[in-house]
Amino acid sequence: MNTHFTVFERSLHLERYPAKHQHVSLQAWDAADEYIIEHVENCSLLESTLNKDTPFLIINDDFGALSCWFSDKKPVLVSDSWISHKSVMTNLMINGMDPESIEFCDALTNLNEVIPSKAKVVLIKIPRSLALLEHQLIALQSVLDEGSTIIAAGKVKVVQNSVLKLFEKYIGTTTTSLAKKKARLIFSKYAGIKTKKSPYPTIVSDPLIPFSLSNHANVFCREHLDIGARILLKNLPSALNKSVIDLGCGNGVIGVSILDQNEGAHVTFVDESFMAVESARQNVINHIGSDERATFIVSNCLEELLKEESSNYDIVLCNPPFHQQNTITDHVAYQMFTDAKKALKHGGELRIVGNRHLDYPIKIKKLFGGYEVIDSNKKFSILSTYKARQ
Ligand SMILES: C[S@@+](CC[C@H](N)C(=O)[O-])C[C@H]1O[C@@H](n2cnc3c(N)ncnc32)[C@H](O)[C@@H]1O
């Protein structure tokens, strides 16, 4: 993996978290990071506008290129991703920088409570989800004034009209730079717009489930049930009095169904998105009436849970992701299966839904020694496997 991030002859060592599971071809920054840093340094933007009391926001830094580069300017980092937070923290330490130089916030944090006055400079990496961007631009309004400088960056393919329209709608006049190494910058001037009602969270109902689901902006399948989730919902195990993990819980549709159908079941909801875990918590409270039978953990796979305990769970249910940030990858699914084995009791079950073209069966057979196909359709299979009894 290339870890030497160099701009203007200054180098940083940057890794994607967790470094040991990444494909060697993946690196922790992209051309949009380089472009925005070059721009800010070329116009000495931070030197001319910031002093120690003027708030500086970095939004959606992927793995720490921006936060580490500008760490001496004491930025506030806003990101919905636990993996991004962890990457930034790890990269600060690798580069001998003070982790306390950065204030970490999730994307649901009320920015007014974090920064003392209006933001002077805001740097934004365009996220994969337009809904997250929309939520973030609305949330930004309360900390902007006409003196704020807002610069966003993304690969050319993500800087589309739909993105520019969101900036025009929620911030004000918006222009773009020329493309450089397939990246582009967006410059937006705050026009004092105050949006009264955010479109988020959204509510989803479906005949397959006896409850509706509330979804914060960055939640997977915010507007309808996922087709993988649909087949898993038709093949849920009996879980009376069992302890169950909903791994990669999203809005919690799988775990809430388990709580709904099984007296005495306890579900631990885990996701790397703060918005997902918060949506799952809301959905448990809305439908089950209390969160007494639930635990909520923001984590990369089961890392945070496994720090406290292992071999305690009866069942792990999982509809694994395909992405880490903007990259399609299968390493997250594989770490999920490996972590699930550690979390399960001997005799405990891992039940997953997987796209049939993926090699999940091979991986599961290698880890657990075998599996059973419980159901399948043209696109998906439900695989069940057990951790061997001692
Ligand atoms: C395919 S979605 C499934 C969501 C929900 N369980 C469902 O069936 O609709 C995968 C989920 O995994 C989460 N995820 C992605 N990477 C993760 C990681 N490294 N650790 C934990 N969760 C992750 C995503 O945020 C997403 O909510």
Side-chain angles (χ1 to χ4, degrees):
M1 192 195 302
N2 177 16
T3 53
H4 296 289
F5 176 62
T6 306
V7 182
F8 295 138
E9 292 174 12
R10 177 183 170 206
S11 283
L12 294 174
H13 178 110
L14 295 178
E15 295 181 356
R16 294 168 81 107
Y17 183 86
K20 66 177 178 197
H21 292 305
Q22 305 289 340
H23 192 269
V24 283
S25 64
L26 299 178
Q27 61 182 32
W29 65 90
D30 60 20
D33 291 313
E34 291 175 39
Y35 200 173
I36 200 165
I37 288 172
E38 280 171 13
H39 176 83
V40 169
E41 297 288 9
N42 271 336
C43 62
S44 304
L45 177 66
L46 300 182
E47 279 65 31
S48 59
T49 47
L50 291 188
N51 62 46
K52 69 177 182 20
D53 299 319
T54 44
F56 166 34
L57 296 181
I58 296 178
I59 300 183
N60 308 325
D61 191 11
D62 294 318
F63 297 100
L66 301 180
S67 310
C68 290
W69 191 273
F70 296 117
S71 68
D72 61 328
K73 301 291 186 296
K74 308 237 176 293
V76 173
L77 168 69
V78 181
S79 166
D80 183 46
S81 163
W82 188 93
I83 289 172
S84 296
H85 287 222
K86 186 81 177 174
S87 296
V88 172
M89 187 71 86
T90 309
N91 284 321
L92 284 168
M93 291 196 284
I94 292 174
N95 289 285
M97 295 161 173
D98 178 8
E100 305 221 333
S101 58
I102 293 187
E103 173 135 16
F104 289 83
C105 296
D106 66 57
L108 288 167
T109 303
N110 181 351
L111 293 174
N112 274 310
E113 288 170 9
V114 179
I115 61 174
S117 54
K118 300 295 180 191
K120 273 285 165 221
V121 176
V122 183
L123 305 182
I124 307 174
K125 277 295 288 292
I126 303 297
R128 190 155 55 94
S129 153
L130 270 189
L132 175 61
L133 180 64
E134 185 171 30
H135 164 88
Q136 291 176 320
L137 295 180
I138 295 170
L140 261 183
Q141 292 171 349
S142 66
V143 293
L144 297 179
D145 64 15
E146 64 287 352
S148 308
T149 301
I150 302 132
I151 307 174
K155 293 199 179 145
V156 168
K157 62 175 191 240
V158 304
V159 182
Q160 294 182 349
N161 264 341
S162 49
V163 166
L164 301 177
K165 277 190 186 147
L166 289 180
F167 278 89
E168 292 274 356
K169 179 171 178 189
Y170 295 113
I171 304 295
T173 306
T174 298
T175 54
T176 55
S177 71
L178 293 174
K180 191 167 167 184
K181 286 203 215 159
K182 296 196 181 151
R184 243 187 171 154
L185 301 181
I186 298 171
F187 306 98
S188 205
K189 188 94 195 111
Y190 184 53
I193 302 163
K194 300 267 181 243
T195 302
K196 288 211 179 72
K197 192 163 167 17
S198 166
Y200 308 102
T202 50
I203 307 289
V204 165
S205 304
D206 190 284
L208 205 56
I209 46 170
F211 48 88
S212 53
L213 291 160
S214 169
N215 300 279
H216 283 297
N218 199 30
V219 172
F220 171 81
C221 269
R222 210 183 51 258
E223 279 161 352
H224 53 86
L225 274 190
D226 172 51
I227 36 176
R230 300 186 87 82
I231 176 168
L232 185 53
L233 283 168
K234 290 180 192 150
N235 287 282
L236 290 178
S238 161
L240 291 180
N241 298 315
K242 300 268 166 129
S243 59
V244 179
I245 297 176
D246 181 353
L247 177 49
C249 63
N251 56 24
V253 60
I254 304 296
V256 176
S257 301
I258 289 285
L259 290 174
D260 179 59
Q261 294 166 17
N262 296 277
E263 231 171 81
H266 182 103
V267 176
T268 300
F269 294 83
V270 183
D271 204 289
E272 80 95 24
S273 153
F274 291 89
M275 284 188 165
V277 173
E278 205 36 54
S279 302
R281 184 198 308 278
Q282 200 54 60
N283 290 324
V284 169
I285 291 170
N286 289 353
H287 185 62
I288 307 297
S290 107
D291 60 2
E292 272 172 16
R293 292 195 289 134
T295 304
F296 302 90
I297 301 177
V298 188
S299 169
N300 173 38
C301 303
L302 293 176
E303 279 175 14
E304 293 302 295
L305 178 144
L306 291 168
K307 279 183 189 164
E308 307 289 325
E309 51 178 354
S310 61
S311 306
N312 260 345
Y313 291 84
D314 299 296
I315 301 168
V316 177
L317 299 170
C318 184
N319 176 7
F322 287 63
H323 290 94
Q324 188 181 44
Q325 312 297 23
N326 290 316
T327 316
I328 294 180
T329 170
D330 50 15
H331 80 268
V332 182
Y334 296 159
Q335 189 186 342
M336 285 183 165
F337 305 156
T338 312
D339 286 0
K341 187 174 174 193
K342 292 180 192 153
L344 283 170
K345 289 176 179 165
H346 290 278
E349 180 186 4
L350 167 65
R351 193 173 287 203
I352 68 156
V353 56
N355 203 304
R356 289 178 61 163
H357 75 261
L358 295 168
D359 65 354
Y360 293 166
I362 299 172
K363 197 72 187 172
I364 291 213
K365 186 161 185 211
K366 207 165 151 198
L367 268 172
F368 288 83
Y371 63 88
E372 189 188 341
V373 179
I374 290 188
D375 194 5
S376 63
N377 59 25
K378 272 194 197 144
K379 272 189 104 174
F380 292 95
S381 304
I382 303 288
L383 308 183
S384 162
T385 189
Y386 288 85
K387 179 163 163 178
R389 293 181 190 280
Q390 264 176 327

